[in-house]
């Protein structure tokens, strides 16, 4: 793969990186979108009762301090990449990364506070912390790709290493980050090695 990149002209490599970034952005948004359970259609005899809206401020769609707020920033970054506005894309991804990291820390602190007091709340907050950490790592990976598209590997490498430390090298995102390091020439050994594919169910570090 590294040899392939060296042989290609710079302009083609830049286009390939931009396409890679767009695909990564779209995949992250699709994977992060919550799955809505199908509800049975109401029968004519028994019309469904309208559900009361959640009026809590941070439960609204427009709030920033939420996973949906972070996803909006990532979508805006994806649109900026499509327009080749890498400066705006970097800013949006940095904001999303910081937001997801704050959410992960907040939920992790709440999980610890309720540990031994209310198991349901503690487990729910721990799951929220993991989900936020996963999105943080996705935003970090896309930010690294933007830096690589800008021919700034010195900015991409530290981000890729952070992803591997958080995700574990055996998870998909961790392997993708390592592959980027390999293509950049920062590491010399590929992973996973041929015939030694390994998988792990470990969760990202909040």
């Amino acid at each position: 793969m590294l040899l392939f990149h060296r042989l290609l002209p710079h302009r083609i490599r830049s286009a390939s990186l931009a396409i890679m970034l767009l695909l990564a952005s779209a995949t992250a948004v699709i994977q992060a979108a919550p799955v809505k359970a199908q509800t049975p259609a109401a029968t004519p005899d028994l019309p469904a009762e309208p559900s009361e809206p959640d009026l809590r401020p941070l439960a609204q769609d427009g709030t920033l301090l939420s996973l949906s707020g972070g996803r909006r920033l990532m979508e805006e970054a994806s649109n900026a990449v499509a327009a080749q506005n890498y400066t705006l894309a970097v800013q949006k991804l940095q904001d999303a990364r910081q937001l997801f990291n704050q959410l992960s820390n907040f939920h992790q602190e709440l999980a610890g506070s309720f540990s031994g007091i209310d198991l349901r709340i503690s487990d729910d907050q721990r799951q929220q912390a993991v989900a936020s950490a996963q999105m943080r790592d996705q935003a970090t990976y896309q930010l690294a790709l933007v830096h690589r598209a800008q021919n700034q590997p010195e900015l991409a490498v530290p981000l890729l290493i952070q992803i591997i430390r958080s995700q574990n090298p055996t998870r998909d995102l961790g392997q993708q980050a390592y592959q980027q390091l390999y293509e950049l020439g920062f590491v010399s050994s590929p992973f996973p090695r041929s015939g030694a594919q390994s998988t792990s169910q470990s969760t990202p570090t909040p």
Side-chain angles (χ1 to χ4, degrees), residues 91-158:
Q91 183 60 55
K92 293 295 183 181
L93 288 172
Q94 287 176 339
D95 291 345
R97 182 169 175 260
Q98 181 179 1
L99 172 61
F100 288 132
N101 191 59
Q102 288 179 336
L103 287 172
S104 180
N105 290 337
F106 292 158
H107 287 300
Q108 186 69 14
E109 289 175 5
L110 285 172
S113 296
F114 279 92
S115 179
I117 299 175
D118 190 313
L119 182 60
R120 183 184 63 82
I121 294 179
S122 180
D123 287 344
D124 176 69
Q125 291 302 307
R126 188 168 289 107
Q127 291 175 10
Q128 293 289 334
V130 170
S132 300
Q134 180 67 30
M135 291 303 302
R136 175 201 62 205
D137 293 344
Q138 288 282 358
T140 302
Y141 181 71
Q142 292 177 40
L143 180 58
L145 289 183
V146 172
H147 285 318
R148 186 179 173 187
Q150 292 179 298
N151 197 28
Q152 296 176 321
E154 69 280 1
L155 299 180
V157 167

Side-chain angles (χ1 to χ4, degrees), residues 5 16 49-50 55 65 82 122 151 159-160 188 190-191 197 201 205:
H5 279 290
S16 299
E49 296 182 0
L55 300 179
L65 191 63
S122 180
N151 197 28
L159 298 175
L160 295 169
S188 57
F191 180 84
Q197 179 75 28
Q201 298 300 320
T205 304

Side-chain angles (χ1 to χ4, degrees), residues 131-201:
S132 300
Q134 180 67 30
M135 291 303 302
R136 175 201 62 205
D137 293 344
Q138 288 282 358
T140 302
Y141 181 71
Q142 292 177 40
L143 180 58
L145 289 183
V146 172
H147 285 318
R148 186 179 173 187
Q150 292 179 298
N151 197 28
Q152 296 176 321
E154 69 280 1
L155 299 180
V157 167
L159 298 175
L160 295 169
I161 293 175
Q162 289 177 23
I163 295 169
I164 295 171
R165 184 172 64 238
S166 172
Q167 288 282 319
N168 189 304
T170 58
R171 290 174 59 87
D172 288 342
L173 190 57
Q175 290 185 17
Q176 292 173 28
Y178 187 86
Q179 178 64 22
Q180 292 293 321
L181 291 176
Y182 181 71
E183 293 180 10
L184 288 170
F186 187 78
V187 295
S188 57
S189 299
F191 180 84
R193 300 180 186 277
S194 300
Q197 179 75 28
S198 60
T199 58
S200 173
Q201 298 300 320

Side-chain angles (χ1 to χ4, degrees), residues 32-107:
V35 179
K36 296 183 179 179
Q38 291 185 336
T39 56
T43 61
D45 296 334
L46 296 173
E49 296 182 0
S51 58
E52 295 183 0
D54 193 341
L55 300 179
R56 295 174 300 166
L58 292 180
Q60 306 302 308
D61 291 337
T63 183
L64 184 61
L65 191 63
S66 64
L67 288 177
S68 60
R71 292 188 191 107
R72 283 197 303 274
L73 290 172
M74 294 179 69
E75 289 175 358
E76 293 171 1
S78 179
N79 293 334
V81 170
Q84 296 186 354
N85 188 345
Y86 292 142
T87 300
L88 179 60
V90 167
Q91 183 60 55
K92 293 295 183 181
L93 288 172
Q94 287 176 339
D95 291 345
R97 182 169 175 260
Q98 181 179 1
L99 172 61
F100 288 132
N101 191 59
Q102 288 179 336
L103 287 172
S104 180
N105 290 337
F106 292 158
H107 287 300

